Amino acid sequence: MTRSSLLTAGAMLTFSVAMLIVVFGVVASSGVYGSRMAWLLGIALPLLVATVLLARTAARSTARAHGGPSPSPGRHPGSGFGARMVLVASAVLLGIPVALAGALLSVYALFFVAHGVSLLR
């Protein structure tokens, strides 16, 4: 097997494990909020980070081997289409909690600003 194939297989494996953890440790768990957050933040998100790194390395390795991105991805074996799909899916799933945390912090910042402005009156 080539290096990019091994990296893609590793990315798919870590993505599958991360999705199993999210489904059974976070969503379908009968645990309390803290245990669900521990599964998410302690195990699932680091696995998604590892998936992003593996898939990115696989996609770059495939692009280097073929002399750049192919004009028709997925048309021939070894095009790196699987690595790019895993990369996009894991990056989106990794970005969701980050975006929600950013939105929550923005709302809190607006509350603090509104309170500060009301104290100035």
Side-chain angles (χ1 to χ4, degrees):
M1 294 185 90
T2 64
R3 180 176 185 246
S4 62
S5 298
L6 288 174
L7 289 170
T8 302
M12 288 181 180
L13 179 67
T14 55
F15 183 74
S16 300
V17 171
M19 290 303 96
L20 285 173
I21 300 263
V22 166
V23 168
F24 292 113
V26 179
V27 176
S29 174
S30 63
V32 295
Y33 177 76
S35 68
R36 290 176 182 216
M37 292 309 293
W39 278 105
L40 179 68
L41 297 176
I43 299 172
L45 290 182
L47 281 173
L48 286 173
V49 169
T51 302
V52 167
L53 294 175
L54 285 170
R56 183 175 178 208
T57 307
R60 282 187 174 183
S61 176
T62 304
R64 254 187 247 150
H66 291 290
S70 63
S72 58
R75 295 281 178 159
H76 52 84
S79 67
F81 183 70
R84 286 192 299 265
M85 289 305 295
V86 171
L87 175 65
V88 169
S90 59
V92 165
L93 289 174
L94 188 61
I96 289 172
V98 173
L100 290 175
L104 184 65
L105 289 174
S106 299
V107 169
Y108 280 144
L110 288 174
F111 285 150
F112 284 132
V113 168
H115 180 67
V117 168
S118 69
L119 290 177
L120 293 175
R121 289 184 183 181

